[in-house]
Amino acid sequence: MPRPFLTRSEEKPSVGAIKNARHPFYNHCEETLERIKQQGRYRTFTPLARQAERFPLYEEYVANLPEGRDVIVWSTNDYLGMGVVPEVQEAAIAAIREHGAGAGGTRNIAGTSPLHNQLEAELAALHGKEAGLLFISGYVSNQASLQTILMSMPGWICFSDRLNHASMIAGIKSARGSQTVIFEHNDLQDLEAKLAAAPADAPKLIAFESVYSMDGDMADIGAICALARKYNALTYLDEVHAVGLYGQEGGGVSQRDGVADQVDIIEGTLAKGFGVHGGYITASAEIVDFLRSTASGFIFTTALPPSVVGAALTSVRKVRAENWRRESLFERVHTMRQRLRAAGVPFTMTPSHIVPIPIGDAERCKRISRRLLVEFGHYATPINYPTVPEGTERLRLTPGPFHTDEMMDDMVRALATLLREEGAMPEAALPKVEKVA
């Protein structure tokens, strides 16, 4: 039968035309990025190089200048400055010399050294657990552990705090076959009501954090554990922003409150209070062995390099033994709050080490952060949506042991000047500071 005649609009495109056609994903990328920019939440990286011997001074690369410019950074998550402690640096160098630069494979292939085993034992002891397991990052430890647990048996119900970290949410959402129930942030009544409404025989897990890093508030760990016992639920606690900082040895809020033994699984990071890199979980021997044997996020990725593990091991041991580091941190946080209060600079009072400066507008938040850097030589990260809800944008300050009184005074004067100029605070008695040339 003869082929019917096609008009030009009905003709099929040639193979060459298909090859040269622009895939619609490119347009989607451009449109999405343009929308993000219009909303004032487009993110750019600030080129800052930490100076180990002068921390918290960083060097900012500035175009057309032969050398970088010194900048005081106020937003680092290396809360205790352990990443620049000489003994920690030397441990990394020694591990490279002995074991090489990389791990050489996954833990199952060639990536386990004595250092890995020693660090896992140290972390287990820190939290009073039987065993520990290292992951390539804190994000992966949350994602892999929660996903694996919630896919292990049929009928799992995960009760997740509304403000849980993105890594926890990713692990929970990717657990096919499980059910997720979100309870209002730190709301024990809402959590209990939802636990009571769930089938009594369903396997349950409560996932929550100790310190919520953007608001700086804390969970009542003991009360949540009591509800877990009442309703036969497993507890999974993210101590990422608390390990190293709280408790007599830096075991986190659960150690400080004397309830670590009531938590089934404690997850943490080596990248914040310990100043290095990597994530981990600690729990009973059977839970750790189960995750070691079944979690794809652990099994199929190259192990942490020996240099990182060696540095982390030294850092954890020093932090456990040297409580003065925690005392110094909180003295500095207290001093910074006193200076902000005296200057009339608004800040959110929190029970933790985190000092949020509320701004409330994405564009203004980015602008104030940029002006702090360019005009005054201070850097504070602007925190915008989706990290925090729209309308709650803020600067997030984390004063540490290496921030001097002089640095604080200069930062407070700069903040007072900019917030006053931006209409974000009433006229203050403090004089304006000289701007960086």
Side-chain angles (χ1 to χ4, degrees):
M1 185 174 181
R3 183 169 175 231
F5 174 77
L6 298 176
T7 64
R8 178 171 295 276
S9 63
E10 295 173 322
E11 289 179 355
K12 294 181 179 179
S14 67
V15 174
I18 293 175
K19 284 184 177 179
N20 294 326
R22 180 179 169 89
H23 194 283
F25 181 63
Y26 290 95
N27 293 331
H28 175 78
C29 290
E30 291 179 353
E31 292 165 3
T32 300
L33 290 170
E34 183 58 32
R35 186 163 59 251
I36 290 172
K37 290 176 182 177
Q38 290 175 357
Q39 294 170 349
R41 56 187 186 91
Y42 182 73
R43 303 182 182 208
T44 57
F45 296 136
T46 303
L48 295 171
R50 179 157 67 165
Q51 304 301 295
E53 294 184 357
R54 300 192 299 150
F55 180 78
L57 283 174
Y58 285 56
E59 188 174 275
E60 179 197 20
Y61 170 78
V62 181
N64 302 320
L65 289 183
E67 296 182 358
R69 182 182 67 144
D70 285 347
V71 170
I72 303 170
V73 170
W74 294 90
S75 299
T76 177
N77 283 341
D78 187 355
Y79 296 128
L80 298 173
M82 294 303 297
V84 301
V85 170
E87 295 94 325
V88 175
Q89 297 179 61
E90 289 303 318
I93 295 168
I96 287 178
R97 288 179 176 146
E98 182 174 358
H99 302 291
T106 67
R107 292 285 293 278
N108 295 301
I109 294 176
T112 291
S113 73
L115 292 172
H116 289 82
N117 295 329
Q118 291 171 35
L119 180 54
E120 287 173 338
E122 191 76 27
L123 293 167
L126 172 66
H127 294 292
K129 300 300 181 187
E130 293 178 344
L133 187 65
L134 292 171
F135 289 82
I136 197 69
S137 72
Y139 189 105
V140 174
S141 58
N142 269 336
Q143 183 182 37
S145 299
L146 285 166
Q147 179 189 44
T148 303
I149 292 168
L150 294 173
M151 290 178 63
S152 62
M153 302 186 301
W156 271 107
I157 303 175
C158 179
F159 298 83
S160 175
D161 188 288
R162 184 172 294 280
L163 295 189
N164 275 342
H165 190 263
S167 58
M168 302 175 78
I169 295 170
I172 293 165
K173 290 177 70 173
S174 62
R176 297 185 302 274
S178 67
Q179 178 185 349
T180 303
V181 176
I182 297 174
F183 65 93
E184 294 305 317
H185 176 53
N186 279 345
D187 190 330
L188 295 174
Q189 289 185 332
D190 187 51
L191 173 58
E192 179 162 21
K194 288 171 175 172
L195 284 165
D201 59 347
K204 305 175 187 68
L205 179 144
I206 305 172
F208 62 109
E209 301 181 40
S210 59
V211 176
Y212 289 83
S213 62
M214 292 301 114
D215 292 322
D217 57 344
M218 295 182 177
D220 188 337
I221 301 171
I224 291 176
C225 289
L227 288 177
R229 290 192 299 272
K230 182 176 179 179
Y231 294 96
N232 194 27
L234 204 68
T235 46
Y236 183 101
L237 173 62
D238 176 319
E239 286 261 37
V240 159
H241 289 273
V243 289
L245 281 64
Y246 299 85
Q248 184 60 32
E249 294 184 316
V253 178
S254 58
Q255 184 184 74
R256 183 199 69 179
D257 294 350
V259 294
D261 62 324
Q262 300 176 31
V263 182
D264 293 293
I265 302 163
I266 295 178
E267 184 267 352
T269 184
L270 302 164
K272 295 180 172 61
F274 298 122
V276 190
H277 183 73
Y280 65 89
I281 60 107
T282 62
S284 67
E286 61 265 38
I287 287 179
V288 170
D289 201 18
F290 171 79
L291 290 171
R292 183 189 67 84
S293 303
T294 62
S296 63
F298 170 80
I299 296 171
F300 298 106
T301 190
T302 299
L304 287 168
S307 57
V308 170
V309 180
L313 179 60
T314 295
S315 180
V316 172
R317 286 173 172 169
K318 288 185 70 63
V319 167
R320 290 186 70 187
E322 298 170 352
N323 193 50
W324 63 265
R325 295 183 185 275
R326 284 176 285 282
E327 293 173 352
S328 177
L329 168 74
F330 286 102
E331 183 279 323
R332 293 286 78 193
V333 172
H334 176 68
T335 299
M336 186 65 171
R337 286 175 175 148
Q338 284 185 317
R339 280 161 164 71
L340 290 168
R341 188 178 290 111
V345 174
F347 67 94
T348 303
M349 187 64 191
T350 76
S352 71
H353 58 286
I354 295 165
V355 184
I357 307 295
I359 304 297
D361 176 82
E363 280 288 355
R364 183 163 61 178
C365 191
K366 286 177 62 178
R367 187 167 60 249
I368 290 173
S369 174
R370 184 63 185 166
R371 290 187 64 190
L372 267 173
L373 176 64
V374 173
E375 299 174 21
F376 300 101
H378 292 273
Y379 182 71
T381 307
I383 307 296
N384 294 341
Y385 178 85
T387 306
V388 296
E390 291 184 37
T392 68
E393 292 81 7
R394 67 203 66 174
L395 302 178
R396 177 180 176 272
L397 309 186
T398 55
F402 294 90
H403 287 105
T404 65
D405 286 351
E406 292 74 20
M407 290 176 180
M408 289 185 180
D409 288 338
D410 195 57
M411 174 61 163
V412 170
R413 285 193 294 265
L415 272 173
T417 297
L418 289 180
L419 293 178
R420 185 168 56 244
E421 290 180 1
E422 294 283 347
M425 66 171 284
E427 286 292 325
L430 286 172
K432 293 184 179 181
V433 295
E434 294 183 5
K435 299 180 180 181
V436 176

